[in-house]
Amino acid sequence: MRPFDRLRKQSPPLIRPEAAEDVPTEPTGYQQTASKLHAFNRYEIKYFVDELRVPELRRELVSRMDSDPYSPHGGYPVTSLYYDTPDLRFYWEKIEGLKFRRKLRMRLYGEPAECNDRTPVQIEIKQRVNRVTQKRRIALPYSAALRWLNGREEIECAPAQRPFVNEVTTLVGNLDLRPIVTTGYLREAFVGREADLGLRVTIDHRVHGRDRDFHFASGAQNRSTIPPKLAIVELKANERVPYWATDLTARLNMSVIRVSKYCQSVEAFALAPRSRYGAAEQVLPAGSGDRKIATVPSAR
């Protein structure tokens, strides 16, 4: 019986966190942001904004919000490796708009070229329950994360992490999850203050991805999955989005969108059956002014 199969039948002995002290995973800098957002429920609203309007948007946000204390000037790179079934179950759940859906990803905060075996990465389940987004995650060294998700090996973890680890293990094993695509972008992050403490706004620039060579530091060529002239803005709130924020989006003519960076990568590389023979343009959902986004020609 393989170790991964055995883990689904019974939990291994609990390992103290200090047992792996030779492989440090303590987050530093902007990685601490991810660590603090270990598990939460949140409402998310996404917008497209023209890059030419970003300076104005940034000025407005700075006047009302604080920059994420762990975010360097100019933002920080975020790279995610998404896992899915051979028939892209998670992709189709999003496309079909299921009220309960989830996806599994490995996320790196920082320069991909600097990623090595000891670099901390986040293993995260992101799920949607009606209109609420829920995230649960743990941090691991990159090599351990690869052995777990790709090699189907057992991993050591703290007792409090065991339920989450078992859930991920079951998902990977039962659904035969495997790497599908990456997404990446440069993120600016702002956090609310005073009455808006639960508010977080992010601006994601130069959204790109690839469908092969999945090692974060591989140096493989990426491809734009959103036109470079557009940035994605996300308003994330625990309970409500303040009126000044929605007024700002209207003033800047920002379009509400239902876009998934994962789905954009899947479609950019024609991995889903319908996108293999689809039209050369993607039409935004109703309510976005029927604007069209031309797909970007393959860079391969």
Side-chain angles (χ1 to χ4, degrees):
M1 182 180 298
R2 294 182 303 167
F4 218 66
D5 297 328
R6 185 168 63 253
L7 180 56
R8 289 199 294 270
K9 292 182 178 297
Q10 61 180 12
S11 297
L14 298 177
I15 306 298
R16 297 190 309 274
E18 56 268 26
E21 61 184 3
D22 61 321
V23 185
T25 61
E26 196 66 29
T28 60
Y30 44 80
Q31 293 164 354
Q32 295 183 37
T33 297
S35 186
K36 291 189 176 184
L37 301 179
H38 174 78
F40 50 84
N41 297 339
R42 183 173 273 171
Y43 294 96
E44 294 184 357
I45 307 175
K46 295 180 182 179
Y47 302 84
F48 275 140
V49 62
D50 193 301
E51 284 283 3
L52 295 177
R53 306 299 298 270
V54 168
E56 183 180 355
L57 171 63
R58 188 184 295 117
R59 286 194 298 271
E60 292 279 357
L61 294 177
V62 168
S63 70
R64 294 178 175 271
M65 304 180 71
D66 295 325
S67 294
D68 188 312
Y70 301 110
S71 174
H73 180 72
Y76 54 92
V78 180
T79 309
S80 299
L81 174 60
Y82 284 86
Y83 289 74
D84 208 334
T85 64
D87 59 355
L88 302 181
R89 170 175 172 168
F90 298 158
Y91 166 83
W92 288 112
E93 287 179 351
K94 167 64 177 177
I95 293 299
E96 293 168 5
L98 298 190
K99 293 187 179 298
F100 174 81
R101 57 183 185 268
R102 57 185 170 180
K103 53 193 171 188
L104 176 69
R105 65 192 179 195
M106 181 190 304
R107 174 162 284 189
L108 170 70
Y109 291 88
E111 291 291 345
E114 299 174 3
C115 181
N116 58 50
D117 287 349
R118 298 165 66 89
T119 301
V121 296
Q122 305 287 329
I123 307 303
E124 178 178 278
I125 289 178
K126 180 178 181 180
Q127 65 188 36
R128 180 96 169 189
V129 182
N130 293 320
R131 297 177 59 194
V132 178
T133 299
Q134 302 173 338
K135 295 182 183 179
R136 289 166 293 131
R137 54 171 43 141
I138 63 170
L140 290 173
Y142 185 44
S143 60
L146 290 177
R147 290 196 304 271
W148 181 25
L149 300 187
N150 295 9
R152 308 296 205 260
E153 295 182 14
E154 299 176 6
I155 64 165
E156 300 175 349
C157 68
Q161 297 171 330
R162 179 52 59 188
F164 177 78
V165 168
N166 287 348
E167 179 181 355
V168 171
T169 295
T170 300
L171 272 178
V172 172
N174 288 355
L175 299 181
D176 190 24
L177 301 185
R178 73 276 307 276
I180 300 295
V181 291
T182 68
T183 66
Y185 42 88
L186 184 69
R187 167 164 286 183
E188 296 181 71
F190 303 87
V191 293
R193 57 178 179 240
E194 299 174 354
D196 300 325
L197 287 179
L199 178 66
R200 178 176 171 84
V201 178
T202 57
I203 309 174
D204 296 337
H205 308 271
R206 303 196 298 274
V207 181
H208 58 268
R210 63 176 181 264
D211 65 344
R212 61 194 66 190
D213 301 320
F214 292 131
H215 192 289
F216 287 137
S218 74
Q221 187 176 34
N222 288 290
R223 168 182 175 180
S224 294
T225 56
I226 297 290
K229 69 176 184 178
L230 296 176
I232 295 179
V233 177
E234 295 186 31
L235 272 60
K236 310 173 186 183
N238 295 339
E239 296 181 358
R240 63 175 184 84
V241 175
Y243 290 119
W244 67 261
T246 54
D247 289 344
L248 173 61
T249 61
R251 193 162 68 251
L252 294 182
N253 195 31
M254 294 165 56
S255 302
V256 177
I257 55 172
R258 297 185 181 276
V259 67
S260 161
K261 298 184 185 76
Y262 168 58
C263 291
Q264 288 295 126
S265 280
V266 167
E267 293 169 5
F269 294 101
L271 300 180
R274 76 170 190 176
S275 65
R276 289 195 182 118
Y277 309 103
E281 292 181 324
Q282 299 168 356
V283 182
L284 294 181
S288 59
D290 292 330
R291 292 168 52 198
K292 294 182 180 180
I293 303 177
T295 56
V296 181
S298 174
R300 288 182 281 160

